[in-house]
Amino acid sequence: MLEIVAAIDIGGTNTEIGLVDRAGACLCRSALVTTDFADPQEFVVAAHQLISQLVETASAQVALCGIGIGAPNGNFYHGSIEFAPNLAWKGIVPLVDIFKRFYRVPVVLTNDANAAAIGEGMFGAARGCRHFIVITLGTGVGSGIVVNGELVYGHDGFAGEIGHTIVDPDGRQCNCGRRGCLETYASAGGIKRTVFELLAHSNSPSLLRSKSYEELTARDIADAASEGDAIACEAFEITGRILGLKLADAIAHTSPEAIILYGGLAQAGELIFEPTRRHMENFTLNIFKNKVRLLPSALPQGLAAILGAAALVWNELEKAV
Amino acid sequence: MLEIVAAIDIGGTNTEIGLVDRAGACLCRSALVTTDFADPQEFVVAAHQLISQLVETASAQVALCGIGIGAPNGNFYHGSIEFAPNLAWKGIVPLVDIFKRFYRVPVVLTNDANAAAIGEGMFGAARGCRHFIVITLGTGVGSGIVVNGELVYGHDGFAGEIGHTIVDPDGRQCNCGRRGCLETYASAGGIKRTVFELLAHSNSPSLLRSKSYEELTARDIADAASEGDAIACEAFEITGRILGLKLADAIAHTSPEAIILYGGLAQAGELIFEPTRRHMENFTLNIFKNKVRLLPSALPQGLAAILGAAALVWNELEKAV
């Protein structure tokens, strides 16, 4: 019998579910449409059915050891999703309790960026590191901070919100209700806002002048920068400067040996890594200079969130031994 | 036999040495003039003699269990003082190794702000807290971050430099060689710089117009604010806003249940606590609002650093059990 966990990555649109072994191999996976379920109870019934199907059809005989869930606004201590702006389930959803009606194995939940951090530590770019930070540069900017090999949850389970540290208290409006959060600059939407400011400010010709705000994507900006588009290149430079500045602040807090960038905007590769690394080093206090590696995720594209959710529960199972 | 530790608080001018029991009572203490010793070896010889005298003259029969040292730029991992700008001992000073030539009990060293954090956790305002931050607002701004009951040292022993997070990358010149660090705004010197900017900017009469830059102290500014001096009051408001902003960032990293302010500027009491608390709450992400207590130190004035250094070694001795 091969020991496996069911890993569940809940996104605003889709939920991915996979069976993952202790070494981080995903045996099989499938998906649900999150938005099909107005009620979280119905969602769990459907997830339970899907996991049973995966277990039955897996290529090996498997023993289910636990369930790991990564979700937006997931709280590890409470086992709940709390006030997630991008989900239809409002208020506090005690998802772990609902799952436990169907399972006697451990069920663990955390937010998606924390799951990514545990995944990178167990299977990815931070393997062997005891002090590191994972930053997800996607629709928003999430983070998971690891100190002494343990994820930092803080006293309420919500620690690691580097995306909501403040770059400029009079700056851009953020979905969190405040202004000038890192997320409004260093996310996929943030670099788009920077491009629109630059298009307004300068007269330079740009490939990006033909796209509406709704049309323009971070991928378009990366493609334009690869072709040498001055506006797109400057947008990456500005984004890297702001991200580098706030990463230098993060280094001053927990002094990690590595920071891993992950998610849509990180896929722009050196376009975002080079300016971020340069400015991070420039803004970093002397004693930390040239010590912190800025790395891309080493989790396979498309599987990262599932491996993160799997690592979360393997991690807890190991602690329980 | 009463079990005690020798606690050593090394400052730029004076070094305080005390014998402290497990409950945090200081039996007796004495001092050395740090600047009398150009050579750290000679300093340790003198400290050893002083500790022997304290042990002999103590009111009870005592057993020395360990030595705890708090020092500027102290590194816990290396047991050394590294590149301390305010000490005559240059480069890397392996102070723990030098002490170990005289003692067979454990010798532990960390930086002064970390020692203060351990002291507050063991004997002071953070007793019973597992997640808290201590900020020292003195000549500089230091910090010690505690996560899950453990001080965060980071991968190199230098974690917890919140005083060198950046408020404004084009801002005031900092002793660290960079610009706009929190320390240049929220230290005793920082509020003086703010007063001088305000004196230049406004025509308001002020008690502070009669003092030179060299003469003016944080205490003068607090005294003037207590008498309703508009410039002094505005300086505290501005300092509290900047400190509150960066504390909100710190909360987003490790989600502490309490932040403790300590050191010269914190002695201004509500003059600094009220605006800092108000702006911290305003700048804090919704999920953290009204959760984090901003507290004054509860270590006895004048004894705080010694109790911190004592707590450091008691803490290590407890872990070793």
Side-chain angles (χ1 to χ4, degrees):
Chain A
M1 290 283 267
L2 178 65
E3 291 191 326
I4 53 99
V5 295
I8 305 178
D9 167 44
I10 300 177
T13 311
N14 292 305
T15 293
E16 300 272 341
I17 301 182
L19 303 186
V20 179
D21 71 13
R22 205 176 276 270
C26 181
L27 277 70
C28 51
R29 58 175 172 146
S30 190
L32 295 172
V33 177
T34 317
T35 50
D36 280 353
F37 304 93
D39 178 17
Q41 318 262 355
E42 293 166 16
F43 169 81
V44 175
V45 170
H48 174 247
Q49 286 172 350
L50 194 58
I51 292 169
S52 302
Q53 286 169 21
L54 288 171
V55 166
E56 281 165 25
T57 58
S59 53
Q61 272 222 313
V62 297
L64 184 69
C65 298
I67 295 177
I69 308 166
N73 290 49
N75 186 297
F76 174 77
Y77 290 155
H78 306 157
S80 55
I81 297 175
E82 306 193 7
F83 308 103
N86 300 322
L87 294 178
W89 313 330
K90 295 304 166 200
I92 297 176
V93 181
L95 207 68
V96 166
D97 285 347
I98 306 176
F99 266 99
K100 280 187 171 168
R101 293 182 205 150
F102 295 88
Y103 294 100
R104 304 185 68 176
V105 293
V107 183
V108 193
L109 175 148
T110 193
N111 88 41
D112 32 14
N114 286 346
I118 296 173
E120 293 292 345
M122 193 166 261
F123 306 128
R127 223 181 312 186
C129 292
R130 295 191 55 77
H131 301 268
F132 63 95
I133 299 174
V134 170
I135 308 271
T136 63
L137 305 172
T139 312
V141 172
S143 67
I145 302 172
V146 173
V147 165
N148 264 331
E150 296 277 334
L151 198 75
V152 177
Y153 287 113
H155 92 286
D156 61 353
F158 287 117
E161 286 288 356
I162 294 174
H164 292 283
T165 61
I166 295 176
V167 175
D168 174 4
D170 304 312
R172 295 175 182 171
Q173 193 176 7
C174 184
N175 283 334
C176 75
R178 298 177 309 154
R179 286 196 171 270
C181 295
L182 177 60
E183 174 165 308
T184 68
Y185 300 89
S187 61
I191 194 167
K192 181 164 82 167
R193 293 164 89 158
T194 301
V195 163
F196 267 67
E197 281 181 0
L198 292 171
L199 290 173
H201 189 71
S202 123
N203 280 329
S204 305
S206 169
L207 299 164
L208 305 175
R209 291 199 187 271
S210 65
K211 298 265 186 175
S212 74
Y213 191 85
E214 285 175 355
E215 285 169 339
L216 187 67
T217 65
R219 178 65 183 271
D220 294 332
I221 303 166
D223 288 346
S226 299
E227 294 179 39
D229 186 278
I231 296 281
C233 290
E234 194 176 346
F236 275 105
E237 174 68 20
I238 291 171
T239 305
R241 183 174 196 268
I242 292 173
L243 182 56
L245 176 68
K246 298 308 278 186
L247 293 185
D249 272 11
I251 292 168
H253 282 80
T254 61
S255 185
E257 55 198 293
I259 296 176
I260 292 136
L261 303 183
Y262 172 102
L265 192 54
Q267 287 166 39
E270 281 303 296
L271 286 172
I272 186 68
F273 275 83
E274 187 281 323
T276 303
R277 190 180 288 117
R278 174 163 38 86
H279 289 292
M280 181 182 92
E281 283 300 335
N282 180 44
F283 285 128
T284 290
L285 186 62
N286 282 352
I287 48 173
F288 301 121
K289 277 193 201 294
N290 302 311
K291 282 183 178 175
V292 187
R293 288 172 295 150
L294 189 71
L295 301 171
S297 166
L299 296 180
Q301 186 62 28
L303 266 181
I306 279 189
L307 294 185
L312 174 71
V313 62
W314 282 127
N315 210 28
E316 290 305 306
L317 290 168
E318 278 181 16
K319 274 194 242 171
V321 172
Chain B
M1 292 281 267
L2 179 66
E3 291 191 326
I4 53 100
V5 295
I8 305 177
D9 168 45
I10 300 177
T13 311
N14 292 306
T15 293
E16 299 272 341
I17 301 182
L19 303 186
V20 180
D21 72 12
R22 204 176 278 271
C26 182
L27 277 69
C28 53
R29 59 175 170 144
S30 191
L32 295 172
V33 177
T34 317
T35 49
D36 281 354
F37 304 93
D39 178 18
Q41 318 262 355
E42 293 166 15
F43 170 82
V44 175
V45 170
H48 173 247
Q49 286 172 349
L50 194 59
I51 291 168
S52 301
Q53 287 169 20
L54 289 171
V55 165
E56 281 164 24
T57 59
S59 53
Q61 272 223 311
V62 297
L64 184 69
C65 297
I67 295 177
I69 308 165
N73 292 47
N75 186 298
F76 174 77
Y77 291 155
H78 306 157
S80 54
I81 297 174
E82 306 193 7
F83 307 103
N86 301 322
L87 295 178
W89 313 330
K90 296 304 168 201
I92 297 175
V93 180
L95 207 69
V96 166
D97 284 347
I98 305 175
F99 266 99
K100 280 186 171 167
R101 293 182 205 151
F102 296 86
Y103 294 100
R104 301 185 68 175
V105 294
V107 183
V108 193
L109 176 149
T110 193
N111 88 41
D112 33 14
N114 286 347
I118 296 173
E120 294 292 346
M122 192 166 260
F123 306 128
R127 223 181 313 185
C129 292
R130 296 193 51 77
H131 300 268
F132 63 95
I133 299 174
V134 170
I135 308 272
T136 63
L137 304 172
T139 313
V141 173
S143 67
I145 302 171
V146 173
V147 165
N148 263 330
E150 296 277 333
L151 197 75
V152 177
Y153 288 112
H155 92 286
D156 61 353
F158 287 117
E161 287 288 355
I162 293 174
H164 292 283
T165 61
I166 295 175
V167 174
D168 174 2
D170 303 312
R172 296 175 181 170
Q173 194 176 6
C174 185
N175 284 333
C176 76
R178 299 176 308 155
R179 287 197 170 269
C181 294
L182 177 60
E183 174 165 307
T184 68
Y185 299 90
S187 61
I191 194 168
K192 181 165 81 167
R193 292 165 89 158
T194 301
V195 164
F196 267 68
E197 282 182 359
L198 292 170
L199 290 172
H201 188 70
S202 125
N203 281 329
S204 305
S206 169
L207 299 164
L208 305 175
R209 291 199 187 272
S210 65
K211 299 264 186 176
S212 74
Y213 191 87
E214 283 175 355
E215 285 169 341
L216 187 66
T217 66
R219 180 64 182 272
D220 294 332
I221 303 167
D223 289 345
S226 299
E227 293 180 39
D229 186 276
I231 295 281
C233 290
E234 193 175 347
F236 275 105
E237 174 68 19
I238 291 170
T239 305
R241 183 174 197 267
I242 291 172
L243 182 55
L245 176 67
K246 298 307 279 186
L247 293 184
D249 272 9
I251 292 168
H253 282 81
T254 61
S255 185
E257 56 198 293
I259 296 176
I260 292 136
L261 303 185
Y262 171 103
L265 192 55
Q267 286 167 39
E270 281 304 296
L271 286 172
I272 185 68
F273 275 84
E274 187 281 322
T276 303
R277 191 182 287 117
R278 174 164 39 84
H279 289 292
M280 182 182 91
E281 284 299 336
N282 179 44
F283 285 128
T284 291
L285 186 63
N286 281 350
I287 48 173
F288 301 121
K289 277 193 201 294
N290 303 310
K291 281 184 178 174
V292 186
R293 289 172 295 150
L294 189 71
L295 302 171
S297 167
L299 296 179
Q301 186 63 28
L303 268 180
I306 279 189
L307 294 183
L312 174 71
V313 63
W314 282 127
N315 210 29
E316 290 304 306
L317 290 167
E318 279 182 13
K319 272 194 243 170
V321 171

